């Protein structure tokens, strides 16, 4: 057990999580995860773990070319193999009515299909499913899948972004179009100039839980157990694809073993499973293998970015030009805000951004934690660091001199911004001010030592959601909403909000999620679950209390009471100024002749606010770099968040630590390598695609400003899933520069890059 593990009443230090004492009241007790026990005991059931009588098993056979068409498909041997119940290909696939509704190929969000699986002989990417084999056991389906023989008309594929940046074009998505504030390319005329190119490869989400679908038809109704970050989104996708009504499609995802964005869409394999189950008339389970997770469920696209940045000799920015080149597939346009952060992060009068995408013969990329901004921050925050050394100015000082007090992109105030506090508390915690600022000046035990800093930001969003709340006569509270939890601890955070609102201990509250038949909740993406659903839970509490106050009066109890004069607690309701006047919930409900008090709360963000809403983070990293092997070890991390008021301290801190783990991978190890001769990812397994392991992750301190945002929602909480990762990788590469004097502009920084750079 960690020596620092200590959860007494007045201080908390869990895995490096430090929280001020004043913070330890009411809402913000460091509650354990409400589903922690179920998860560690194995009682929590993930999508692939469900089973049904007569359930069959599916396996997807992938194409062996990256571009072309299928010339012949021989499925006879597979069909004759023992236990095989069916083989579905484009030649015999049942019609998916939704395929005809949209353009060809179908666009993402309308029904989430993207690639229309088994709809034609066209091949758009290596590993694209060409056959779904179904058998009565997993072993038999694997055997039969090996008997499928496909021949192709191969066409010349293009999978290399670097060789094709000149062909990249502006996206159709106008929000990500070219941007100009002030004059163009002003940086070139500045006294101090940094001009550099930054590269990063494809990264793959690789959640521990692979994607899995179990489809169970009963007549014309289907229940789908699916790994998804949005049960309502998946329900809608299946409704749209199969032209079904909402009451005929039920999507279940009680637990999700990590998503990071890979489960934000309903991917073609899920459509195939639903199609296959209907065709054979039996429940069907389809689980993607790890190799299939590399090219069928999205990835963070490769990016080549050019930054030009200029400053006065006092370190005032005069111009930023940020150009980004990235990729999409040939059958869909995927875009993300790679250049977004450069527009508003610093108070700079002249900013130009340009974003170009190149359609490649690979599957469509998708959002991956900190989508867009994590990529953009690597370039921008590296360039700012380079500029600080060019100016001989501390990198934090440079950032402070160019701090944007208001949003320079939209010319309006931020709803809240405590970025300066993040710099301050993190710098103090890691001992930033006592380091020797000169590169390659610090050593420990024969290793070069360096410190790096970087900031991150992401929009703080709030959407609409609804929640059912039922207060029972024993003072227990049931909450339900159709939201998924991919790991951050949604049920825990919602329990804490309800506990605060209703004066009930968390043990009396149950939060149910992961079922599309519950009242519609948000998709778990874009760091907006707590801000969105938390608002609904908070408002549900207000509604319950208002109704209870009415019941108190109509039931003839302390009938002059106004709601503000009542105290709500586990035992019931009492008068604030006279605690002897009280009534239990069971008495109250009996008097009102109702079994329980149940409401469905709908919550919408109030419109019309003229604010820019963002969360901010600052990451501090200490690295050790071995001078003769080039090995980089992250030795210490202090990560600071301005995510508004922290609702659930333990799960929030874990979320930040998760971002650090992802950030270490991004900086040092993660890279999907494509063999362009075949257009395929060759390290498509966890042995060759290197995710950080425990030994790679040092002691991590998480610090929160913990000041409420007055605008975004009643809790004052801003999102934090994305900012945990955004900006972390450049903090590492900046630290490597400080340790070695070598500026490495291509991640991941593997030892060869450290050694080869002079
Ligand atoms: Mo996140 S990329 O919004 O799952």
């Amino acid at each position: 057990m960690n020596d620092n593990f200590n959860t007494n009443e007045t201080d908390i230090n869990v895995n490096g999580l430090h929280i001020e004492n004043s913070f330890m009241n009411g809402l913000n007790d460091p509650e354990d995860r409400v589903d922690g026990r179920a998860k560690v005991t194995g009682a929590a059931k993930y999508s692939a773990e469900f089973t049904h009588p007569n359930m069959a098993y599916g396996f997807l056979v992938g194409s062996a070319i990256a571009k072309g068409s299928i010339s012949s498909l021989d499925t006879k041997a597979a069909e004759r193999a023992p236990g095989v119940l069916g083989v579905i290909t484009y030649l015999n696939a049942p019609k998916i009515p939704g395929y005809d509704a949209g353009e060809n190929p179908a666009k993402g969000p309308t029904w989430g299909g993207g690639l229309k699986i088994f709809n034609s002989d066209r091949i758009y990417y290596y590993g694209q499913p060409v056959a779904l084999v179904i058998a009565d056991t997993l072993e038999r389906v694997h055997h039969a899948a090996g008997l499928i023989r496909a021949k192709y008309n191969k066409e010349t594929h293009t999978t290399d972004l670097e060789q094709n940046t000149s062909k990249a074009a502006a996206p159709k998505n106008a929000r990500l179009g070219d941007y100009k504030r002030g004059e163009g390319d002003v940086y070139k005329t500045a006294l101090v100039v940094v001009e550099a190119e930054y590269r990063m490869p494809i990264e793959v989400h690789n959640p521990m839980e692979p994607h899995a679908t179990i489809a169970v038809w009963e007549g014309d109704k289907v229940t789908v157990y699916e790994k998804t970050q949005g049960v309502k989104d998946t329900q809608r996708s299946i409704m749209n694809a199969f032209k079904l009504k909402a009451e005929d499609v039920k999507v279940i995802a009680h637990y999700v073993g990590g998503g990071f964005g890979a489960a934000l869409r309903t991917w073609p394999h899920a459509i195939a499973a639903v199609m296959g189950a209907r065709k054979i008339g039996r429940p069907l389970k389809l689980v993607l293998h790890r190799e299939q997770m590399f090219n069928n469920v999205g990835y963070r696209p490769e990016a080549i970015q050019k930054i030009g940045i200029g400053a006065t000799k006092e370190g005032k920015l005069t111009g930023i030009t940020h150009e980004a080149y990235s990729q999409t597939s040939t059958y869909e346009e995927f875009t993300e805000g790679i250049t977004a952060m450069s527009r508003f992060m610093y108070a700079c009068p002249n900013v130009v951004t340009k974003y170009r995408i190149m359609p490649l013969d690979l599957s469509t990329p998708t959002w991956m934690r900190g989508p867009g901004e994590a990529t953009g921050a690597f370039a921008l925050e590296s360039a700012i660091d380079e500029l600080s050394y060019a100016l001989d100015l501390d990198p934090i000082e440079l950032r402070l001199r160019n701090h944007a007090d208001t949003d320079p992109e939209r010319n309006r105030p931020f709803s809240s911004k405590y970025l300066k506090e993040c710099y301050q508390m993190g710098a103090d915690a890691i001992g930033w001010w006592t380091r020797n600022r000169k590169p390659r000046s610090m050593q420990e035990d024969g290793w070069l030592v360096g410190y790096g800093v970087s900031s991150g930001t992401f929009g703080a969003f709030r959407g609409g959601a609804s929640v059912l709340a039922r207060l029972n006569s024993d003072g227990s509270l049931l909450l339900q909403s159709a939201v998924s939890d991919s790991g951050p601890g949604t049920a825990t955070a919602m329990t804490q909000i309800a506990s605060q609102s209703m004066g009930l201990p968390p043990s009396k509250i149950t939060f149910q999620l992961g079922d599309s038949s519950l009242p519609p909740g948000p998709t778990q993406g874009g760091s907006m679950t707590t801000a969105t659903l938390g608002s609904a839970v908070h408002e549900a509490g207000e509604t319950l209390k208002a109704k209870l106050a009415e019941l108190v009066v109509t039931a003839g109890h302390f009938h002059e009471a106004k709601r503000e004069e009542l105290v709500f607690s586990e035992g019931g309701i009492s008068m604030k100024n006279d605690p002897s006047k009280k009534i239990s919930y069971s008495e109250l409900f009996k008097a009102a002749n109702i079994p329980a008090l149940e409401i469905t709360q709908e919550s919408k963000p109030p419109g019309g606010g003229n604010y820019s809403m963002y969360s901010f983070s600052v990451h501090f990293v200490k690295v050790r770099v071995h001078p003769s092997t080039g090995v980089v070890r992250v030795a210490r991390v202090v990560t600071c968040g301005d995510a508004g008021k922290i609702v659930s301290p333990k799960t929030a801190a874990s979320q930040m630590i998760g971002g650090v783990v992802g950030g270490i991978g991004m900086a040092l190890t993660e890279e999907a390598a494509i063999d362009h001769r075949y257009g395929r990812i060759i390290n498509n397994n966890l042995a060759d695609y290197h995710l950080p392991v425990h030994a790679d992750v040092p002691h991590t301190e998480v610090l929160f400003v913990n000041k409420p945002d007055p605008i975004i929602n009643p809790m004052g909480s801003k999102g934090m899933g994305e900012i945990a990762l955004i900006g972390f990788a450049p903090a590492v590469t900046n630290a490597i520069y400080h340790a070695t004097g070598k500026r490495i502009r291509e991640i991941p920084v593997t030892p060869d890059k450290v050694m080869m750079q002079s």
Side-chain angles (χ1 to χ4, degrees):
M1 177 164 284
N2 191 312
D3 314 37
N4 293 319
F5 195 85
N6 170 9
T7 52
N8 69 48
E9 292 288 302
T10 54
D11 190 20
I12 178 170
N13 184 344
V14 182
N15 253 344
L17 162 65
H18 300 301
I19 295 165
E20 63 206 89
N21 294 351
S22 62
F23 181 50
M24 303 299 298
N25 299 315
L27 175 61
N28 295 311
D29 284 345
E31 290 297 330
D32 290 338
R33 278 173 192 264
V34 295
D35 50 7
R37 183 173 295 271
K39 285 185 168 180
V40 298
T41 57
K45 251 174 143 175
Y46 294 80
S47 295
E49 296 183 297
F50 286 85
T51 187
H52 284 270
N54 213 25
M55 188 171 72
Y57 297 81
F59 184 86
L60 288 169
V61 178
S63 83
I65 64 163
K67 184 182 184 181
S69 58
I70 301 167
S71 58
S72 74
L73 259 175
D74 182 356
T75 60
K76 282 196 203 68
E79 281 158 6
R80 282 196 301 264
V84 169
L85 301 164
V87 177
I88 299 178
T89 70
Y90 81 95
L91 294 166
N92 67 348
K95 247 191 139 23
I96 301 295
Y99 280 175
D100 299 328
E103 289 172 60
N104 185 8
K107 287 291 182 293
T110 41
W111 60 276
L115 177 90
K116 293 178 171 182
I117 193 164
F118 307 143
N119 196 49
S120 84
D121 62 354
R122 285 303 303 170
I123 299 297
Y124 300 98
Y125 64 90
Y126 184 96
Q128 175 187 324
V130 296
L132 171 65
V133 184
I134 304 169
D136 57 356
T137 71
L138 187 63
E139 293 75 13
R140 284 171 150 180
V141 80
H142 283 173
H143 171 70
L147 302 173
I148 301 281
R149 292 289 171 265
K151 291 206 173 91
Y152 304 93
N153 298 313
K154 213 176 147 194
E155 296 167 23
T156 308
H157 61 255
T158 304
T159 53
D160 193 335
L161 176 66
E162 194 176 331
Q163 297 299 316
N164 290 282
T165 50
S166 62
K167 291 186 211 146
K172 292 189 201 94
N173 184 342
R175 196 179 69 80
L176 300 167
D178 292 353
Y179 172 80
K180 187 169 154 192
R181 169 164 90 237
E183 300 298 314
D185 286 350
V186 166
Y187 78 91
K188 288 183 174 164
T189 59
L191 203 68
V192 185
V193 175
V194 167
E195 208 170 32
E197 189 173 290
Y198 302 89
R199 287 164 187 248
M200 51 180 283
I202 287 175
E203 290 181 334
V204 183
H205 310 70
N206 272 312
M208 287 299 283
E209 180 205 23
H211 280 252
T213 310
I214 298 175
V216 185
W217 285 90
E218 282 162 290
D220 288 331
K221 291 177 189 289
V222 68
T223 301
V224 182
Y225 300 80
E226 169 76 349
K227 178 196 179 82
T228 174
Q229 290 170 244
V231 282
K232 289 304 285 184
D233 270 358
T234 299
Q235 181 196 36
R236 210 168 304 122
S237 295
I238 291 168
M239 284 161 56
N240 290 347
F242 293 90
K243 296 280 172 243
L244 296 169
K245 295 198 283 290
E247 58 266 34
D248 294 336
V249 180
K250 182 168 165 137
V251 175
I252 307 253
H254 291 155
Y255 293 92
V256 179
F260 316 112
L264 282 172
R265 290 186 66 180
T266 304
W267 296 100
H269 70 267
I271 302 297
V274 174
M275 173 205 283
R278 181 168 237 186
K279 184 156 190 206
I280 60 162
R282 285 169 67 163
L284 175 65
K285 179 192 286 195
L286 177 63
V287 182
L288 295 193
H289 287 210
R290 185 56 64 178
E291 302 85 71
Q292 296 173 323
M293 296 283 292
F294 280 76
N295 57 358
N296 287 291
V297 290
Y299 52 87
R300 191 196 298 284
E302 181 179 351
I304 298 169
Q305 301 179 74
K306 294 175 187 175
I307 294 255
I309 189 164
T312 65
K313 68 177 192 314
E314 293 77 29
K316 282 298 254 185
L317 298 183
T318 57
I320 301 173
T321 296
H322 184 174
E323 285 178 22
Y325 298 86
S326 192
Q327 66 187 102
T328 183
S329 68
T330 57
Y331 55 93
E332 252 183 314
E333 178 175 288
F334 172 77
T335 54
E336 56 180 6
I338 296 181
T339 57
M341 181 173 166
S342 294
R343 300 178 182 183
F344 67 84
M345 190 62 185
Y346 296 105
C348 177
N350 305 293
V351 175
V352 176
T353 74
K354 187 174 136 184
Y355 171 57
R356 297 287 179 268
I357 47 171
M358 171 68 196
L360 296 173
D361 296 308
L362 294 164
S363 62
T364 311
T366 197
W367 304 282
M368 181 165 161
R369 200 167 189 180
E373 269 84 349
T375 300
F378 169 56
L380 178 66
E381 292 294 285
S382 296
I384 290 281
D385 196 69
E386 296 202 37
L387 182 66
S388 77
Y389 285 96
L391 287 159
D392 194 20
L393 197 62
D394 182 276
I396 295 176
E397 181 57 32
L398 174 60
R399 285 175 172 87
L400 290 174
R401 286 187 192 178
N402 296 284
H403 183 267
D405 297 328
T406 55
D407 177 357
E409 180 185 4
R410 295 183 180 83
N411 266 321
R412 60 188 188 186
F414 291 106
S415 57
S416 66
K417 182 176 182 181
Y418 297 104
L419 179 62
K420 285 180 180 170
E421 285 79 352
C422 290
Y423 290 127
Q424 188 63 50
M425 66 165 81
D428 292 348
I430 205 161
W432 180 263
W433 307 113
T434 55
R435 71 178 185 143
N436 184 335
R437 215 147 51 74
K438 196 165 135 32
R440 213 180 175 96
S441 63
M442 298 179 74
Q443 286 205 19
E444 261 171 30
D445 307 326
W447 292 66
L448 303 170
V449 170
Y451 289 81
V453 64
S454 166
S455 36
T457 181
F458 197 80
F461 304 105
R462 173 183 168 189
S466 51
V467 64
L468 178 144
R470 186 167 73 227
L471 183 66
N472 296 306
S473 57
D474 64 353
S476 65
L477 177 67
L478 173 71
L479 298 164
Q480 294 180 322
S481 184
V483 63
S484 293
D485 180 53
S486 57
T490 303
T492 310
M494 295 309 124
T495 297
Q496 292 199 248
I497 291 168
S499 162
Q500 170 81 354
S501 170
M502 295 303 296
L504 297 171
S507 59
K508 291 288 252 186
I509 300 169
T510 305
F511 190 91
Q512 291 176 341
L513 48 68
D515 182 332
S516 65
S517 58
L518 302 176
T523 289
Q524 188 153 80
S527 300
M528 57 194 283
T529 307
T530 300
T532 300
L533 190 59
S535 299
V537 170
H538 176 89
E539 287 168 15
E542 295 303 308
T543 305
L544 281 179
K545 285 186 283 189
K547 290 223 166 30
L548 287 167
E550 283 171 28
L551 286 182
V552 164
V553 175
T554 50
H557 292 272
F558 28 103
H559 44 253
E560 74 286 10
K562 294 200 180 64
R563 196 201 125 172
E564 313 78 70
E565 299 166 334
L566 301 176
V567 177
F568 301 84
S569 70
E570 187 179 6
I573 303 166
S574 58
M575 289 289 287
K576 214 174 261 175
N577 57 8
D578 182 2
S580 70
K581 285 188 177 168
K582 61 182 176 194
I583 182 167
S584 71
Y585 292 120
S586 68
E587 289 171 283
L588 182 64
F589 294 169
K590 207 166 167 191
N593 202 20
I594 51 172
L597 181 58
E598 181 177 305
I599 59 149
T600 300
Q601 182 73 43
E602 277 187 44
S603 167
K604 283 200 187 79
N610 195 22
Y611 293 93
S612 290
M613 298 197 271
Y614 290 96
S615 295
F616 296 91
S617 57
V618 177
H619 312 284
F620 289 85
V621 172
K622 174 188 178 186
V623 297
R624 293 198 182 97
V625 184
H626 199 276
S628 50
T629 64
V631 165
V632 178
R633 304 294 298 168
V634 176
R636 212 184 141 197
V637 172
V638 176
T639 184
C640 312
D642 164 22
K645 181 81 177 165
I646 300 302
V647 167
S648 173
K650 263 193 182 176
T651 55
S654 295
Q655 173 108 280
M656 290 296 278
I657 293 167
V660 168
V661 175
I664 291 173
M666 187 173 177
L668 299 179
T669 60
E670 290 187 52
E671 170 170 24
I674 298 170
D675 184 336
H676 294 298
R677 292 172 303 172
Y678 308 104
R680 61 171 290 229
I681 292 173
I682 49 176
N683 58 340
N684 56 356
N685 57 76
L686 294 184
D688 295 316
Y689 182 95
H690 295 154
L691 293 160
V693 297
H694 278 88
D696 298 315
V697 181
H699 181 73
T700 295
E701 280 178 64
V702 179
L703 303 172
F704 292 118
V705 179
N706 190 34
K707 290 200 174 130
D709 182 296
I711 305 294
I712 186 167
N713 59 40
M715 296 83 61
S717 72
K718 300 191 283 190
M720 55 170 300
E722 324 292 336
I723 56 160
L725 177 81
I726 295 166
F728 193 85
V732 175
T733 52
N734 293 343
I736 293 170
Y737 175 74
H738 180 235
T740 63
K742 296 179 182 188
R743 182 62 69 176
I744 298 165
R745 301 186 182 90
E746 182 171 3
I747 47 176
V749 182
T750 44
D752 54 305
K753 289 179 189 147
V754 179
M755 295 315 291
M756 278 168 61
Q757 264 251 351
S758 53

